[in-house]
Amino acid sequence: MSKESKKYAILLSLLFSSLFVSLIAQDRHPSYSAATSADSTPANDSSATALPLAVPALPDSTGVDSLAADSLSNDSLATDSVPKKKKNGLTSVVDYQANDSIVFTNGNEVYMYGKGVVQFDGMELNADQIEMNMDSSQVYAVGRPDTVGDIVGRPVFKDKSGEYESETMHYNFKTKKGYITNIVTQQGEGYLTGGQTKKMDNDEFYMKDGKYTTCDNHEHPHFYLQLTQAKVRPKKNIVTGPAYMVLADVPLPLAIPFGFFPFTEKYSSGIIMPTFGDELERGYYLRDGGYYFAINDYVDLALTGEIYTKGSWGVNARSAYIKRYKYSGNVDLSFITTITGDKGLPDYSKMKNFKVAWTHTQDTKNNPNMSLSASVNYTTSGYTRNDLNSYYNANAFTENTKSSTVNMTYRVPNSPWSFSATANVTQRTQDSTLNVSFPNLTISMGQVYPFKRKTVVGNERWYERIQLSYSGRFQNSILTKQDQILKSNLIKDWRNGMYHNIPISATFNLFKYLNLTASFNFTDRMYTNKVMQDWDTQQARVVRDTVYGFYNVYNYYGSLSADTKLYGFYTPWKIFGDKVQAIRHIFTPTISFSAAPDFSAPRYGFWDSYSYVNEYGETVTTKYSPFSNGVYGTVSQGRQGTVSFAVSNNLEMKVKSDRDSTGVRKISLIENLSANMSYNMAADSMKWSNLNTSILIKLTKNFNLQMSAVWDTYTYQLDRYGNPVRVNKPRWTVGKGIGRLSSTGTSFSYTFNNDTFKKKDKDSDSKNTQQQRQQPNALPTDPNSGDEEEEAPGDSDVQFGPDGYSIWEIPWSLSINYSVNYGYGTFNKKKMEYNGRFTQNLSLSGNINLTKNWSFNFSASYDFNAKKIAYMNCNVTRDMHCWSMSASFVPVGPYKSYNFHISVKSSLLQDLKYDKHGNSYNSLDWY
């Protein structure tokens, strides 16, 4: 070899030596990792592939981390013949594991395959493939494709800030910074997905091209806000730059210059965003906007309002309170001012209405001896007609009478005494009539046996069966219009009084089968005024004068009754079969006698009279009671010596049944059939009372038919003025029967649904299922296909019948409420009888789920007098996974209206919605 050749050979050797030493000193190259791992990875593990450690260049310290300034680049291996031991650089222990395999290299690198887990200093990383470099303190994680190409085992990162799923993840143990692609994390009620993300050491995230949605379909959300850039503070808030909405992969021209999404796990105050809309009569509006006050853990308050461009406005305050094991309730106060028309024109109107609602419930564990309850629902007569929220509430919109009650009761421990105070308000919205009763005080004593011995020796004595009770009431009430209630006088306009009642009774058994009951009842009424009447001869009319003072109006009566039970049994002939075992009839007769003096006699002073001369020159004497307008009424006229008769019947049948363990079953044919009538021996006329009857039949297990009727026992004639009057001639004395039906009525309600007609098919279905189990030649099921069929997407809600076909079922229900009443109408002078008149009410309500997500419900009432639908409300709803859509409309009546609403389900984005309203104000008569 020539000198020149030797020279080149030495230079080439030095060059290759330096390159070799440099390669050893640098980080491990992936191609070398693949070669090294081939020795230790199982031959059938196709997932053991090299993973890149290169980090994309980002304007962050992650990109210029220890990878670029590591001590390995100036290691002593390049100049020193004795290598020094490299330092780890990690301050905590790293725990890691994998299901398939773990590969170590001499470059201080670790490769984990198959559900790898890395834990370090409160951080946990799960992924199907993980590469970790101890020298650079970096970790790289990624998922792997399965046999069908789907990515499984995606990286899932957990630390104190939350849990994050991604497509790929770079993370530095030292700096606690990372680079993430296609992140998926839940923040509040929403999900943050996609984009390129940088994780900072303070657990904040900087994102580019991300998506925010409340849809849990991460791969393909139904809607999302496309974020150009965003900053995420986990569990606190998200601040975004320009963002726009994407619905069903279609970008919409709905953009915002910036966004702020706060999150909190604490109970906190906040702004309530209003709803925007328009109405033809009242103009554009903002409704239901305001502020929510989180006062404390027991009470909250929401102040909202509404304003219209044509002058109408309203305010509302809602509060809920609760104290565990003590009480709970809510308060709702509203005030609205409605302005319609133009000021100065005839159609201009301004109405002010308000609403007060309060419910309160006390837990019985708090104080078993004292309770406070409230159910207040008071509105002015025009509130419901001017409140948009009431249009689609069938109960509130069609309710003619509203009642409010507040009650407080105290029961004395270990005593029969109890005290209660009540306030009642009943309003009729049709004519704004109010019936206010406040305060109402009640004192009652339960049944006691005053003569019963404390220590019983021997048989019970007759006087020990005497029992008595007491009830006392004070009432202060007024019947007026709602605009006159504040102008009323407490003394002159309000009616008040006290009431005392003491019943005393004792029951004895005679001849083993006869029950004898003796009773005495005393009633006392106390009033502070009475109304005297007199005839004014000059004006030819009755004049009334109110006299104030203290007055007692009392009455008493005694009664004696006897009753027994008679049983009758009937066994049908065998020629009709042996299905019916026996029929039982229970007959209960009752006879009673009651007596009372004539409290209208002058010596009592409870009744008075005045006389006048009519146009025929006859002297007419009119008897009246000065206390007839009292809150507890007055005493009745005439002596009483009344004998009452009553009977009741019960009819049952015992039949054979295979469905009962005893082999027989009882069927009620007539649950109760009763009739009662009385005869007053002390009366000078009209001694017979009307005949009262009632019947109760159990048609099905959940349906009873109950009807009561009153039969008129006397005839009618015309007086000198041509008016019908009842005369002292019983109907049976003139050949018109024992009585004529004067009033009756019944009502029933029933609900039909899918299960109503399924009972017949139950036995056949069970037989078919049993036959399938007993088939000896049935093919065995494939053990490998069971799980796949159960987990098949979309089949989880599909049910199959015994024939192997899927069951197609539409859930539905229909409720029917019907009532009919019969009574006297106009008088027929030819027949000298009253014509009958029927009054009917019919209401329907129902719902049907056409599909899993579509549902329809309605409620309606029919007016039989007008022969048309009085009110109808229909609702259509669509469950759109993360969205909800509803349409409500009133198609008939004077308050025709509609409401369309579509919004995001999540309360976080509840203002992402669209509303369209139309009501009776928008209906204009052009011709």
Side-chain angles (χ1 to χ4, degrees), residues 706-724:
Q706 186 173 6
M707 182 181 295
S708 59
V710 178
W711 306 81
D712 196 346
T713 56
Y714 283 92
T715 58
Y716 291 84
Q717 292 181 0
L718 298 178
D719 61 7
R720 67 175 64 183
Y721 305 105
N723 298 322

Side-chain angles (χ1 to χ4, degrees), residues 67-83:
L67 291 172
D70 199 278
S71 59
L72 293 175
S73 59
N74 297 320
D75 201 274
S76 58
L77 288 174
T79 56
D80 197 348
S81 60
V82 181

Side-chain angles (χ1 to χ4, degrees), residues 284-347:
Y284 293 95
Y285 62 79
L286 288 175
R287 296 180 61 248
D288 303 328
Y291 196 82
Y292 178 80
F293 296 92
I295 300 176
N296 52 43
D297 292 339
Y298 310 105
V299 184
D300 68 350
L301 175 64
L303 295 178
T304 58
E306 57 184 69
I307 186 171
Y308 296 79
T309 55
K310 294 187 178 181
S312 300
W313 60 276
V315 292
N316 177 263
R318 296 188 306 273
S319 177
Y321 57 90
I322 184 171
K323 195 71 177 290
R324 183 176 295 182
Y325 306 126
K326 288 191 176 182
Y327 52 80
S328 63
N330 57 75
V331 181
D332 189 354
L333 306 175
S334 297
F335 178 84
I336 56 176
T337 299
T338 305
I339 299 176
T340 58
D342 296 325
K343 196 169 185 178
L345 296 180
D347 62 345

Side-chain angles (χ1 to χ4, degrees), residues 710-901:
V710 178
W711 306 81
D712 196 346
T713 56
Y714 283 92
T715 58
Y716 291 84
Q717 292 181 0
L718 298 178
D719 61 7
R720 67 175 64 183
Y721 305 105
N723 298 322
V725 292
R726 206 171 184 226
V727 296
N728 190 24
K729 287 185 180 181
R731 299 184 67 87
W732 55 84
T733 61
V734 294
K736 291 187 177 182
I738 192 173
R740 184 174 186 269
L741 183 63
S742 62
S743 66
T744 185
T746 185
S747 63
F748 67 88
S749 62
Y750 198 82
T751 300
F752 301 91
N753 52 35
N754 297 75
D755 299 329
T756 303
F757 308 102
K758 278 185 176 180
K759 193 171 184 180
K760 296 180 180 179
D761 301 332
K762 186 180 292 186
D763 297 336
S764 60
D765 291 345
S766 61
K767 290 180 181 178
N768 293 335
T769 306
Q770 204 168 15
Q771 289 176 1
Q772 286 186 349
R773 293 176 180 174
Q774 295 175 354
Q775 288 179 356
N777 299 324
L779 294 175
T781 57
D782 186 0
N784 299 323
S785 62
D787 296 338
E788 294 180 2
E789 290 180 0
E790 290 179 1
E791 297 176 359
D795 292 344
S796 58
D797 297 328
V798 178
Q799 297 180 357
F800 295 91
D803 54 0
Y805 291 96
S806 61
I807 300 175
W808 186 72
E809 188 177 63
I810 298 179
W812 63 274
S813 68
L814 176 64
S815 298
I816 301 175
N817 297 276
Y818 176 76
S819 65
V820 57
N821 294 281
Y822 172 85
Y824 278 165
T826 59
F827 188 77
N828 191 333
K829 295 182 179 180
K830 292 182 179 179
K831 297 181 179 180
M832 298 303 291
E833 299 282 4
Y834 276 97
N835 296 323
R837 183 181 61 182
F838 284 94
T839 303
Q840 304 176 75
N841 292 298
L842 175 64
S843 62
L844 303 171
S845 63
N847 65 80
I848 182 173
N849 295 334
L850 298 175
T851 64
K852 180 182 177 182
N853 299 319
W854 279 100
S855 65
F856 171 80
N857 64 79
F858 77 98
S859 61
S861 61
Y862 184 79
D863 187 345
F864 285 90
N865 294 329
K867 296 182 179 180
K868 64 179 182 180
I869 297 175
Y871 177 79
M872 175 179 284
N873 179 29
C874 303
N875 298 279
V876 181
T877 59
R878 172 70 162 91
D879 187 350
M880 305 168 65
H881 188 252
C882 49
W883 285 68
S884 64
M885 181 185 70
S886 64
S888 305
F889 54 94
V890 180
V892 296
Y895 299 98
K896 294 180 182 179
S897 58
Y898 70 89
N899 175 31
F900 178 79
H901 174 81

